[in-house]
Amino acid sequence: MKTISSRHNALYKRVRDAVRGAGEEIVIEGPKAVGDAVRAGWRAVILSVSEGSVWAGGALDELLRAAHPHRSFAPAQDDIVAFSPALFNDISDTKTSQGILALFERPRTTLDQLFARADSVVVALDGVQDPGNVGTIVRLAAAFDAAGVAILPGSADPFGPKAIRASAGAILNVPCVPSSRDELLARGWPLFAADARGEAIDPPARGAILAFGSEGAGVSEEIARVAQKIAIPMSSRVESLNVAASAAILLSRSYALR
């Protein structure tokens, strides 16, 4: 295992850029998240540990064996590196680093794959900027068996470190696809949008798009013009709900109606 202590090192820059959301690679951090990704069939391009941590020794082999006994998805030894503690802390996205992270190729899914499932709904995020909310909604999409999540312009990257953590592993099995609004609307599916000014009706159970917008402005005008607006009945003690809370209510109701 090679040790890297220079910020000019190409591998360090590559991982750092992925943490910042640049390029076609993503970073997953923490032993459970890395192990889950390997177990799910994701192939680590680079596996990095903090020099001097337990992962720089035998614990790493144990983690990889537990995740995939045949190691067919584990990185080659040349792709396992140790960063100095200072470098690792620079790229870690958590307050208390667990000393291990892995670089993966960004998953590629198409809108065709999302819309191939007419037995469920497609979730669309329209300007949901907070990565914690995006990750939570990805987790909800898994919990309530949505076909996948279409990421419209203005929304946070579901493969950013904060969104990945908020998804609690759901990002590994929920298709998330960047899409323009025109591409989404061209699918011709009925479109529903969460909106406090809408009607208190049941959400769609299948064969439809369920859109969520930013907490301040809601969905874009382009989506609002053609969407059936759904309101969540609630008391007058609050004006609105967090977008992830709204998604939890509507997706759970959608799932119950199938």
Side-chain angles (χ1 to χ4, degrees):
M1 182 187 301
K2 56 184 140 185
T3 300
I4 296 171
S5 57
S6 170
R7 287 181 172 81
H8 300 292
N9 180 273
L11 287 179
Y12 168 75
K13 290 181 178 179
R14 183 176 174 184
V15 175
R16 179 203 62 195
D17 289 347
V19 170
R20 294 175 178 175
E24 298 303 310
E25 295 173 322
I26 64 171
V27 169
I28 291 181
E29 184 172 354
K32 183 180 186 309
V34 170
D36 286 346
V38 173
R39 190 175 296 108
W42 289 27
R43 187 181 298 277
V45 180
I46 298 172
L47 184 57
S48 61
V49 300
S50 179
E51 183 184 19
S53 70
V54 296
W55 308 111
L60 181 60
D61 282 337
E62 292 178 17
L63 172 69
L64 293 175
R65 277 198 299 271
H68 202 284
H70 304 296
R71 296 178 65 91
S72 61
F73 294 105
Q77 284 299 312
D78 288 345
D79 297 323
I80 301 176
V81 300
F83 290 129
S84 68
L87 291 192
F88 198 93
N89 287 336
D90 282 350
I91 56 177
S92 173
D93 195 59
T94 58
K95 290 182 179 178
T96 304
S97 168
Q98 294 179 285
I100 181 171
L101 56 80
L103 188 72
F104 295 91
E105 291 184 4
R106 182 179 290 265
R108 292 297 170 196
T109 311
T110 67
L111 277 180
D112 286 342
Q113 289 172 272
L114 263 62
F115 284 90
R117 281 195 59 189
D119 63 331
S120 185
V121 295
V122 169
V123 176
L125 301 186
D126 188 19
V128 180
Q129 299 175 332
D130 182 79
N133 283 332
V134 170
T136 299
I137 293 172
V138 170
R139 185 178 186 183
L140 292 166
F144 300 114
D145 196 33
V149 182
I151 309 296
L152 303 185
S155 295
D157 182 3
F159 295 102
K162 288 183 175 63
I164 288 175
R165 281 205 310 278
S167 80
I171 194 68
L172 300 174
N173 53 49
V174 174
C176 294
V177 186
S179 171
S180 71
R181 296 179 181 93
D182 286 343
E183 288 173 327
L184 188 76
L185 296 176
R187 295 288 163 164
W189 278 26
L191 176 61
F192 297 79
D195 191 318
R197 297 161 298 183
E199 298 179 73
I201 60 174
D202 284 332
R206 58 182 63 82
I209 302 166
L210 188 52
F212 299 92
S214 68
E215 290 186 38
V219 296
S220 63
E221 288 185 15
E222 190 175 356
I223 296 296
R225 270 198 309 269
V226 295
Q228 169 75 58
K229 299 176 181 62
I230 300 180
I232 298 170
M234 58 186 182
S235 80
S236 59
R237 296 170 67 180
V238 295
E239 290 185 4
S240 62
L241 294 174
N242 168 277
V243 64
S246 298
I249 293 168
L250 292 179
L251 287 172
S252 66
R253 288 170 56 191
S254 170
Y255 184 67
L257 291 169
R258 285 178 214 163

